[in-house]
Amino acid sequence: MTDILILTGAGVSAESGLGTFRDEDGLWTQYDLNDVCTPEGFARNPELVHDFYNARRDNCLNSAPNAAHEALGRLQRDSRHKITIVTQNVDDLHERGGAAEVLHMHGALSGALCHSCGARWPAPPVMDPLAPCPECRLPETRPDIVWFGEMPHYMDEIHRALGQASLFVAIGTSGNVYPAAGFVSEARAAGARTLELNLEPSSVAGQFDAARLGPATRTVPAWVDEVLAAE
Ligand code: APR
């Protein structure tokens, strides 16, 4: 049983039509992340934050998983390997591509959270900043997304998996945001081999044993087919 930890970023969903953040036409060229991806931005203008995530939720609902998501779903169903998928993405394309138990360390568009009482519930397609929390009734609802300055989810589980992985693969992430950008060095320190599948070298490319550059819909199925063909 080979333990493989896979970390994905926005690049794995790019060919499904969902925007990345730091490419030349990325979301952070259209919005100031301080306005839509921080608790301070939400306190200043909750309506702008809801508009931002309602647009991304609509984009996600009208998109489809691509060959990279489907290949990772195929890999995870192969019983010879223990595949842990950790994603920085908040879309559900891994799940719709056949993956299960995906660790969404930055939260998910499908979730809603009360900023006041901490209640969680399934997000409606369009969230209304004036809608009351179903628990405390205060109009403090927000998308269940981890913003800058907030603690990502599943960190204990992720550190455990990084300590056990024999292979760490990063797919479609620029390696600019911690703690995810630090996972490769943690995996290496625990003895894992490391592979980067990306359109271009990430900011932490130098820490990988190997890299394959190209679109995820080409590099990921090719890599998965190799893993599944090996004894
Ligand atoms: N195939 C493979 N890789 C791609 C593709 C593609 N078709 N298109 C873009 N990429 C690569 C880019 O080269 C880049 O390295 O995906 C990466 C996207 O990087 P970012 O836009 O920085 O996205 P990501 O790394 O996921 O950002 C991490 O930052 O803003 C926060 O919370 C947000 O989760 C996000 C985190």
Side-chain angles (χ1 to χ4, degrees), residues 8-12 14-15 19-23 26 28 33 37 56 88-90 106 145-146 148 171-177 180 197-202 214-217 219:
T8 66
V12 80
E15 291 161 270
T20 62
F21 294 95
R22 296 172 183 81
D23 289 331
W28 297 151
L33 70 84
C37 206
R56 293 182 65 195
Q88 301 171 89
N89 300 340
V90 294
H106 289 168
I145 303 283
V146 178
F148 285 97
I171 303 172
T173 180
S174 63
N176 281 305
V177 175
L197 305 180
N198 216 48
L199 197 57
E200 59 198 16
S202 73
T217 54
T219 60

Side-chain angles (χ1 to χ4, degrees), residues 62-73:
N62 290 296
S63 66
N66 63 49
H69 298 111
E70 288 161 354
L72 294 177

Side-chain angles (χ1 to χ4, degrees), residues 50-75:
H50 276 296
D51 287 349
F52 176 67
Y53 287 101
N54 285 338
R56 293 182 65 195
R57 196 175 295 107
D58 180 60
N59 193 358
C60 180
L61 289 172
N62 290 296
S63 66
N66 63 49
H69 298 111
E70 288 161 354
L72 294 177
R74 232 178 17 255
L75 178 63

Side-chain angles (χ1 to χ4, degrees), residues 14 24 79 101 115 117 129-131 141 148 158-159 163 167 171 191 209 221:
E24 70 268 2
S79 58
E101 294 163 38
H115 203 64
C117 74
L130 301 177
T141 66
F148 285 97
I158 293 168
H159 289 308
L167 176 61
I171 303 172
D209 299 319

